Amino acid sequence: MVKPIRILIVEDQTLVRKGFKSLIQMYRPAWEVFEAVDGIKALISVREHEPDLILMDYFMPKLDGLKAAKFILEEFPETKIIMVSTEQSPEFIAETFSTGYMGIVCKDSSDRELLEALDKVASGEMYIREDLQQYANIDLKSYVKKKISNQHSPAPELSVREVEILRHLSNGLKCNEVGKQLGISKRTVHNHKANICKKFQIHSIAALVRFAMQHNLTQ
């Protein structure tokens, strides 16, 4: 049985947020939908629900969409995020993709366009409307290459959370023990461990420990 996609909608305007939720529930009824009203609440919700996909507004109180994404992707690098915004300048679009977003949709987008963006990003593709891509002179291939190269990046490119988890695992703790130490779920620890192993082609706990020792990450 295919695992249902878990999506988090982050939007401070209630009518807009509920509209997105209704649309998704109507056309993608198997998806699990969660909500957050600002960037801070988004961080809390991501830790609680571990969504596969996030649809996030940019202009929000407390923490805007770009800053929130940086925090989320540092802790959950596999999360796929789509920006929703009225801002369409080339500089903003470039910064959005550089931050780690995988898609951009405008608030005046049609239902069909939003669903297309959700489906593409959920399947691992990047998305931006063609006219916006041409206007901003964005080459999506360059961002795809950057993401692929980051999978083979050196140890300093590990996120703060990955370093914490690697340190605890190399010191002999199990995933559930690491989770208790860091206040996160066993599943989250396991996902980070799998991501580290995938990045550096590590296939055993012994190799993981050696890797940590080589990069002075055991203390």
Side-chain angles (χ1 to χ4, degrees):
M1 183 176 178
V2 178
K3 174 188 170 186
I5 289 175
R6 301 162 67 87
I7 180 170
L8 172 65
I9 302 170
V10 188
E11 165 64 60
D12 62 306
Q13 297 183 46
T14 302
L15 288 177
V16 177
R17 188 175 68 254
K18 296 299 182 183
F20 286 149
K21 182 176 181 179
S22 296
L23 178 69
I24 293 168
Q25 289 179 326
M26 180 183 299
Y27 291 101
R28 302 293 182 268
W31 289 20
E32 296 182 37
V33 185
F34 307 96
E35 300 176 57
V37 299
D38 58 50
I40 298 295
K41 293 286 197 313
L43 294 175
I44 296 171
S45 188
V46 168
R47 288 167 181 158
E48 180 180 357
H49 301 296
E50 299 180 22
D52 308 291
L53 183 63
I54 299 176
L55 183 65
M56 183 153 57
D57 188 19
Y58 171 64
F59 293 106
M60 296 184 296
K62 299 182 181 179
L63 196 66
D64 67 45
L66 288 176
K67 292 177 182 175
K70 288 177 182 178
F71 285 119
I72 290 169
L73 292 172
E74 182 177 89
E75 190 167 341
F76 299 90
E78 299 302 313
T79 306
K80 303 175 179 70
I81 312 179
I82 298 175
M83 170 70 79
V84 182
S85 180
T86 55
E87 173 64 60
Q88 299 178 17
S89 70
E91 295 80 12
F92 177 80
I93 291 172
E95 184 178 8
T96 297
F97 281 115
S98 294
T99 299
Y101 277 84
M102 290 188 63
I104 298 177
V105 293
C106 302
K107 281 202 170 179
D108 62 355
S109 298
S110 65
D111 293 356
R112 181 177 180 180
E113 182 185 342
L114 177 61
L115 290 169
E116 180 184 1
L118 291 172
D119 289 341
K120 283 193 172 183
V121 172
S123 66
E125 299 180 53
M126 302 188 80
Y127 179 86
I128 182 174
R129 204 168 64 201
E130 188 173 349
D131 61 324
L132 275 183
Q133 183 176 346
Q134 294 176 350
Y135 164 68
N137 194 27
I138 290 293
D139 179 14
L140 287 183
K141 291 181 180 179
S142 66
Y143 290 99
V144 172
K145 289 178 181 178
K146 181 179 178 182
K147 284 181 177 292
I148 293 174
S149 65
N150 283 344
Q151 293 179 350
H152 304 285
S153 57
E157 294 301 319
L158 286 167
S159 71
V160 173
R161 181 63 84 189
E162 287 174 334
V163 170
E164 289 178 324
I165 288 173
L166 178 57
R167 181 177 293 119
H168 285 302
L169 290 173
S170 65
N171 285 324
L173 294 185
K174 304 295 184 184
C175 285
N176 62 320
E177 294 172 327
V178 175
K180 290 178 182 178
Q181 288 276 346
L182 300 178
I184 58 179
S185 69
K186 176 182 176 181
R187 175 187 169 194
T188 298
V189 176
H190 185 272
N191 287 343
H192 280 297
K193 176 185 175 183
N195 189 52
I196 294 168
C197 290
K198 180 181 178 181
K199 279 184 181 180
F200 302 104
Q201 299 297 304
I202 297 171
H203 304 292
S204 69
I205 189 63
L208 193 70
V209 173
R210 285 197 299 271
F211 177 86
M213 292 177 66
Q214 288 169 359
H215 296 281
N216 299 313
L217 298 175
T218 58
Q219 299 299 320

